[in-house]
Amino acid sequence: MNNIYETLNDMQQLAVYHTEGPLLILAGAGSGKTRVLTHRIAYLIEEKHVQPYNIMAITFTNKAAGEMRERVNKIVGFGAEQVWVSTFHSACVRILRRYIDRIGYSNDFTIYDTEDQKKLLKDVIKNLNLDPKMYKENAVLGKISDFKNKLVTTGEVAQMAQSDFKLLNLSKIYNNYQEALKKNNALDFDDLIMKTVHLFRKCPEVLESYQERLKYIMVDEYQDTNGAQFAFIKLLASKYQNLCVVGDDDQSIYKFRGADISNILQFEKNFNNARVVKLEQNYRSTKTILDAANEVIHNNKGRKDKTLWSDNEQGEKIDLYQAEDAYAEADMVASTIKENVDFGRADYSDYAILYRTNAQSRALEEKLLLRNIPYKIIGGQNFYQRKEIKDVLAYLRIICNATDDIAVERIINVPKRGIGATTVTKAKDFARAYGFNLYESLLEVENIPGLERAATKVRKFTDLIENFKDQQQSMSLKELVNEVLNETGYVAELAAENTDEANGRIENIDELITKVTEYEENTDNPSLAEFLEEVALVSEIDNLDEDSSYVVLMTVHSAKGLEFPNVFLCGMEDGLFPGYMSIMSDDPEELEEERRLCYVAITRAMKHLTISYAKRRMVRGETQYNIISRFVKEIPMSLVNSKNVKDRVAAGFEKKPSFSGFGGYEGSLNHGGSGYLGSSYGGSRNFAANEHKNAYRTMAKKPAYGNPSTKPGFGKQFVVTKADIDYGVGDRVHHTKFGDGTVLGVEDGPRDYQVTVEFDTAGQKVMMASFAKLKKL
DNA sequence: TGGTAAGTAACCAAG
DNA sequence: TTACTTACCA
C-alpha cells in the first residue's frame, strides 16, 4: 500500500479506511479534516478502485471545492477531475438544468439574488393589497426562506394557518411569490435545493440515476446544513448508504439561515450503523490559543463533549488591547501589522483581521489605507451586486430569458430613455390583467391603454432588446457585452458624468468584460446562460487568494474554514460580540451560537492572537459605551497579556485624543517577534516589504468606490490571473521605486510569477510580478 | 417625467 | 452614518 496514508494519525486513518456505510467524522478545529477528506477520496480511487465518477464531495464554498479538487488531483493524478466536487447550490443547479422541466419549470431558468427577491416580493405584497409596514420585505423573506429550508410548501403553510390571520396572509404571500418566480422563470437560492428535492421525490428515475452515479458521498461542514440539504443528501445516499459527513457541532454558526444542528447531533439516529470517528488533535494553533478556545467553548451547555489538544508549542500569550474608540483600535491594528512587516517579522498575508459585523471594516480600512498597507475586504458588497454590474447583467439576463420581469424593470429606463414609473406601472397592470410577462406586454405597447404617448419610447426599447437577441447567435459573449454597452449608451452616460464615482463604475464594467473574456476562454462550450449562472453563485470568499501579499479583513462567519498565522479579533464588546440581540434573547441558544462563533474566531489563529475592544463606538450615528465581551472574560488571565499593551496605549492616548496617527505606542507592540520567524511560513516569504508598499501606493489612493483592493474572481473554474508580463530574463526593466534594473530570473508560481531583478542602485530584489508592475525598457 | 431636498428606517451574520 | 423613500417643483 502506498504510504501516503501513514502520514495520518490513527483516528484520521480510521476515517479514511472506513469507506462503506455511513460515517460521521467529528472534526475539531484544525484537526486536518480536509486532509482526511482528500486522502479518503484518494483511497477510494486508488485502493478501493472506485471510479472517480462515482464520488461526490460537497463543500461549503466554491473556493473550498476548488482547493479540494486541486489537492485530490495532486494525490491521485489521473482521473481525479471526474470526482464531482461542488457546493450544494452548484450541484443542484446542475441537476435542475437537466431535469427541472419534469416538475414544470423551464430549463433555462434564471437565479435570483436577494435584491431580485426583494423587488419581486414587494410587488407581490402590493398586489395583495397588504400593508407593507406590517409585512416587511426582510422579515417576510426570512420566513419564506425558513419555510423553504424546511421544505414546507405553500399549501402546508396555508393549512397550518387555519384562523391565524397573519400566517394566512403570509401563506398568500409565499404562494404568490412562488408563482411570480415561476412566471419569471426564476428560482431563488433556497429554491435551488428545495426544487431538487422535489424533483427527486417526484421523479424516482432521476433520483435513481444519481444514486447509481454517486455511490460515495462526502459532505463537509455538515454542522451547517439545513433541512433541505439534509433531505437532498439523505435521498442521494439512501441506496448505497456510503455517506461520510464531516463537521464540528462547536462550529455551527449558521442557525440564522436555517442550519439545523440536529443534522449532526442526530446523525447516528438518521443513519443506521453509522460509525463515528472523532478527530481531536489540533495541528493548527499553539497551546495557548487552543486553551483559550477550549475554555470559552466549555461554557456552552448543548454540545458533544470533547477537548481539542495539541502537540504544538505553547506559543505566545494572547494580546488584549483596550482602545478608546474604533479608530484607535484600527490604528493599533494597522500600526502593529506595519511594524512587524517592516521589520521582516511577517508578511502581510500572514494577517487576518476579523470582526463580527461588516460595518466594522470601515475604520479598519481607513487606517490601513493611511499606512499604505495592502488589504482586501471579504464580504460586504459582492462585485456582482454592484449597481452597474447588475445593470449590465440585467440586459444579458433579458437576452437569455425575456420572461425575467425583474431584470426588465431594472433597466427599462437605464440609461434614461424617458420611460417613467407611471409607464412601467401601466404596463405591469396590463401584463397582470392578461397574464403576460412584463416584456411580452411591452411588445404590445400600442394596445396598452394610456400609453399612447410613451409607446414610441417603449418600442425603441423592445427593438433594442430584440436586436440583441438576434445578434446573440452570431456573436461571442464578449462582443455581445460590448454591443450592449455601446448600443445602450450605458458607458457613454457614465463617461459624461466624469465623476470619481462614475469612473469607478466604468472600471468595474471593464472588469466585467475581463471576466466574460476569461470565462469564454476557459470554458469548453461557453454560453450566456452558464455564465450568468456562475456569476450568480460566486461568493465573496471565493475571491480570497492566500498567496497574494495582503491583509484580509472579514467577518468571523466568512473566516470559517480558514487559518492565519496572526489574527486580530476586533470589537470584542458586549453588545457587538456577542451581539445585542443574542444578549437580550430569551433563547439561551442564541448566546451559545455567538459563543461558537467566538470559538471559530479564536481557532482561526495559528501563532498569535490579538483581541481588542473599544470603550466607545459609533453605531448608526450614535455613540455606544460597551464593556469588554463576556467571552473574553472566559479566557483565563494566565493566557493573556494585557497590561503592557494597555498602559502604553493609554499613555499614547493622553497626548493625542483625536483620530489622527498616534505615535505614542508605535514600536511597542512587537508580538510575533522572533518567535515564529523560523517556522514554516516565515522563511518562505522573503521578499522585502517595501515593494508591496510601493506597489499598492496607487491602489491606496483610489477611492473606496469600485474598491480596487477587492479584485473579484470566479470560483473554481478560473485560474487566478497571473500578471501579464512582457519581459523575460536579461531584459532591462523599470520599477517605480527602485529604478532601472536587469531581470535575473522569472519563476512561474502557481498564482503569479516571481521575478528576481538586479537593480542598478537598489540591489537585488525578488518580487511578485503582479505587485511589482515592472515596465520593460 | 426627472431632479432635488427633506425625512426615516436600518445592520447581525450569507448563498 | 448611510441608503432609501416620499414630497415637491421645473
Side-chain angles (χ1 to χ4, degrees):
Chain A
M1 182 183 295
N2 196 313
N3 284 336
I4 55 164
Y5 308 106
E6 279 169 22
T7 60
L8 302 169
N9 70 33
D10 291 352
M11 285 297 136
Q12 291 175 329
Q13 286 188 26
L14 217 57
V16 167
Y17 298 150
H18 185 275
T19 57
E20 312 303 306
L23 169 67
L24 166 62
I25 304 173
L26 285 170
S31 61
K33 67 179 165 121
T34 312
R35 266 192 94 213
V36 168
L37 280 176
T38 49
H39 281 76
R40 197 167 180 276
I41 294 172
Y43 183 78
L44 281 168
I45 296 170
E46 291 188 329
E47 307 298 329
K48 293 282 173 171
H49 305 294
V50 173
Q51 291 300 316
Y53 179 78
N54 292 131
I55 302 171
M56 176 185 227
I58 295 180
T59 59
F60 205 64
T61 61
N62 292 310
K63 175 172 142 62
E67 277 164 10
M68 184 167 295
R69 152 144 290 127
E70 214 171 285
R71 287 168 75 162
V72 174
N73 281 347
K74 231 175 250 170
I75 310 176
V76 183
F78 187 72
E81 67 281 355
Q82 295 224 36
V83 178
W84 192 354
V85 189
S86 131
T87 62
F88 275 105
H89 288 95
S90 305
C92 289
V93 171
R94 194 155 139 193
I95 294 167
L96 292 174
R97 283 274 177 236
R98 208 161 152 191
Y99 294 110
I100 199 171
D101 53 324
R102 305 205 181 185
I103 52 172
Y105 281 77
S106 161
N107 294 62
D108 58 358
F109 60 85
T110 302
I111 300 167
Y112 274 5
D113 69 10
T114 315
E115 195 189 340
D116 302 323
Q117 290 183 65
K118 276 187 196 162
K119 286 183 174 162
L120 194 67
L121 189 65
K122 210 172 167 181
D123 271 354
V124 166
I125 294 174
K126 207 172 89 195
N127 291 336
L128 278 168
N129 288 319
L130 293 170
D131 179 9
K133 291 227 160 41
M134 206 64 157
Y135 300 91
K136 297 227 162 101
E137 287 149 45
N138 280 325
V140 176
L141 223 43
K143 294 270 189 211
I144 292 177
S145 182
D146 280 350
F147 290 141
K148 292 188 178 183
N149 289 333
K150 293 191 174 108
L151 297 172
V152 179
T153 60
T154 54
E156 285 165 339
V157 179
Q159 222 164 39
M160 269 191 299
Q162 300 277 357
S163 57
D164 182 336
F165 175 72
K166 197 157 181 193
L167 191 57
L168 194 67
N169 279 337
L170 199 59
S171 81
K172 283 184 198 158
I173 296 173
Y174 181 21
N175 183 62
N176 290 13
Y177 170 76
Q178 283 307 96
E179 281 181 359
L181 276 172
K182 193 163 181 178
K183 190 133 197 259
N184 287 345
N185 196 14
L187 300 186
D188 65 21
F189 285 125
D190 298 318
D191 276 340
L192 296 177
I193 317 287
M194 183 176 76
K195 293 293 174 192
T196 308
V197 172
H198 286 173
L199 169 73
F200 282 168
R201 286 184 179 160
K202 213 182 141 206
C203 308
E205 72 285 0
V206 173
L207 173 61
E208 212 192 322
S209 72
Y210 282 104
Q211 286 173 332
E212 281 304 321
R213 167 164 177 195
L214 306 169
K215 293 190 172 109
Y216 293 85
I217 299 169
M218 273 156 267
V219 184
D220 195 8
E221 305 286 5
Y222 189 67
Q223 75 283 353
D224 283 321
T225 51
N226 62 38
Q229 288 164 336
F230 172 78
F232 171 76
I233 288 301
K234 171 119 194 185
L235 283 166
L236 274 183
S238 62
K239 184 157 187 186
Y240 289 99
Q241 299 276 318
N242 296 323
L243 172 64
C244 164
V245 303
V246 189
D248 178 4
D249 52 310
D250 286 335
Q251 294 187 67
S252 160
I253 54 173
Y254 281 105
K255 192 178 172 222
F256 74 92
R257 63 165 198 210
D260 185 352
I261 196 168
S262 72
N263 285 349
I264 193 164
L265 297 177
Q266 306 289 318
F267 185 81
E268 294 142 274
K269 285 204 182 104
N270 288 323
F271 294 90
N272 289 332
N273 307 317
R275 178 77 192 263
V276 181
V277 175
K278 284 189 187 181
L279 304 179
E280 290 177 299
Q281 181 176 1
N282 173 297
Y283 295 94
R284 178 187 294 154
S285 309
T286 63
K287 285 201 173 76
T288 300
I289 289 167
L290 211 54
D291 287 348
N294 279 332
E295 288 294 333
V296 171
I297 200 68
H298 271 141
N299 293 293
N300 269 7
K301 302 279 180 285
R303 62 186 287 266
K304 293 199 172 194
D305 194 53
K306 58 183 166 309
T307 303
L308 275 185
W309 59 278
S310 172
D311 265 345
N312 292 347
E313 57 177 2
Q314 189 64 39
E316 297 155 41
K317 285 191 176 184
I318 295 167
D319 277 327
L320 179 64
Y321 180 91
Q322 183 197 50
E324 288 299 310
D325 59 26
Y327 289 91
E329 179 183 49
D331 203 65
M332 177 280 295
V333 173
S335 64
T336 306
I337 293 174
K338 185 76 183 167
E339 188 191 320
N340 282 318
V341 172
D342 281 354
F343 278 84
R345 298 183 195 119
D347 188 272
Y348 287 125
S349 60
D350 296 333
Y351 289 98
I353 306 173
L354 307 182
Y355 37 77
R356 178 68 234 271
T357 65
N358 278 310
Q360 289 168 259
S361 67
R362 196 154 287 152
L364 290 158
E365 181 175 19
E366 202 173 293
K367 293 298 178 185
L368 291 170
L369 224 45
L370 210 63
R371 288 179 195 266
N372 281 319
I373 297 172
Y375 65 90
K376 175 152 168 164
I377 298 178
I378 305 285
Q381 203 191 23
N382 183 311
F383 177 78
Y384 295 104
Q385 285 161 246
R386 291 171 194 278
K387 183 189 177 299
E388 61 278 15
I389 301 301
K390 283 211 75 174
D391 287 345
V392 178
L393 290 176
Y395 277 103
L396 299 179
R397 273 162 58 176
I398 298 168
I399 295 168
C400 203
N401 166 24
T403 60
D404 186 345
D405 287 2
I406 298 293
V408 173
E409 209 181 328
R410 181 179 185 99
I411 46 80
I412 188 167
N413 199 29
V414 179
K416 301 260 159 9
R417 23 178 104 81
I419 305 174
T422 31
T423 307
V424 174
T425 311
K426 277 180 188 150
K428 276 164 84 179
D429 288 345
F430 180 82
R432 211 145 47 87
Y434 290 92
F436 287 159
N437 280 106
L438 177 56
Y439 189 76
E440 286 172 323
S441 74
L442 291 177
L443 288 172
E444 308 273 323
V445 246
E446 286 82 3
N447 298 322
I448 304 177
L451 286 193
E452 295 75 16
R453 253 190 304 155
T456 350
K457 293 171 183 166
V458 171
R459 180 55 62 198
K460 259 180 92 181
F461 170 73
T462 55
D463 285 348
L464 187 73
I465 299 294
E466 291 303 306
N467 193 21
F468 290 148
K469 282 178 158 182
D470 290 343
Q471 286 175 293
Q472 184 198 354
Q473 279 84 20
S474 55
M475 277 184 172
S476 73
L477 269 182
K478 188 188 171 185
E479 287 167 335
L480 182 66
V481 175
N482 278 318
E483 180 75 5
V484 167
L485 259 15
N486 291 333
E487 291 305 308
T488 58
Y490 195 98
V491 174
E493 194 186 58
L494 284 173
E497 252 187 76
N498 196 26
T499 58
D500 281 356
E501 186 180 317
N503 292 334
R505 291 187 194 277
I506 293 175
E507 274 179 40
N508 287 332
I509 290 174
D510 288 341
E511 184 72 33
L512 179 67
I513 296 174
T514 308
K515 297 293 170 206
V516 171
T517 315
E518 277 175 0
Y519 163 77
E520 231 167 5
E521 283 170 1
N522 296 330
T523 312
D524 289 339
N525 292 310
S527 76
L528 181 53
E530 194 191 53
F531 174 73
L532 291 173
E533 168 184 315
E534 280 186 13
V535 152
L537 295 176
V538 263
S539 74
E540 266 295 292
I541 204 79
D542 297 336
N543 303 324
L544 181 65
D545 174 11
E546 277 101 342
D547 294 338
S548 295
S549 185
Y550 47 63
V551 176
V552 274
L553 288 75
M554 66 184 118
T555 64
V556 182
H557 280 92
S558 300
K560 186 176 78 156
L562 304 176
E563 60 181 27
F564 303 91
N566 302 311
V567 169
F568 287 92
L569 181 53
C570 299
M572 289 304 286
E573 298 141 38
D574 258 32
L576 189 60
F577 195 178
Y580 179 76
M581 302 285 251
S582 65
I583 294 175
M584 289 303 153
S585 170
D586 297 327
D587 182 4
E589 171 52 29
E590 288 208 23
L591 200 63
E592 298 221 339
E593 174 136 328
E594 292 282 306
R595 191 176 279 109
R596 289 195 291 271
L597 192 59
C598 180
Y599 174 78
V600 169
I602 294 171
T603 53
R604 295 314 94 196
M606 298 158 78
K607 301 285 176 186
H608 194 88
L609 175 66
T610 305
I611 293 174
S612 61
Y613 61 105
K615 285 198 222 167
R616 69 184 125 82
R617 184 178 295 272
M618 282 277 254
V619 180
R620 275 194 259 130
E622 63 187 72
T623 307
Q624 255 175 31
Y625 294 85
N626 294 326
I627 59 164
I628 187 168
S629 167
R630 59 192 68 194
F631 299 150
V632 175
K633 290 185 189 161
E634 290 168 3
I635 301 173
M637 282 314 285
S638 61
L639 302 175
V640 175
N641 173 24
S642 66
K643 189 170 165 290
N644 61 335
V645 179
K646 228 202 269 182
D647 289 348
R648 291 185 194 188
V649 168
F653 264 103
E654 276 166 27
K655 286 174 213 150
K656 288 188 178 179
S658 75
F659 297 155
S660 51
F662 342 84
Y665 56 85
E666 236 175 304
S668 64
L669 287 164
N670 67 339
H671 81 238
S674 53
Y676 57 80
L677 237 195
S679 66
S680 59
Y681 69 91
S684 60
R685 314 197 193 257
N686 58 346
F687 37 94
N690 281 337
E691 273 92 332
H692 305 294
K693 177 180 81 186
N694 200 51
Y696 271 86
R697 184 159 292 149
T698 43
M699 262 185 161
K701 266 192 294 197
K702 289 190 188 172
Y705 209 77
N707 191 345
S709 61
T710 318
K711 279 278 182 224
F714 282 93
K716 54 192 164 99
Q717 281 80 2
F718 291 82
V719 184
V720 175
T721 1
K722 293 179 182 181
D724 211 354
I725 55 172
D726 56 355
Y727 47 79
V729 177
D731 281 341
R732 295 282 293 165
V733 290
H734 178 80
H735 185 276
T736 41
K737 186 173 173 206
F738 299 115
D740 298 349
T742 309
V743 178
L744 295 183
V746 180
E747 213 181 307
D748 195 354
R751 304 286 159 106
D752 201 346
Y753 294 100
Q754 225 182 43
V755 187
T756 313
V757 182
E758 178 72 43
F759 288 102
D760 299 344
T761 48
Q764 190 173 320
K765 307 277 177 193
V766 182
M767 51 193 88
M768 305 305 267
S770 57
F771 293 131
K773 305 244 166 61
L774 294 167
K775 275 217 179 70
K776 191 181 172 183
L777 294 175

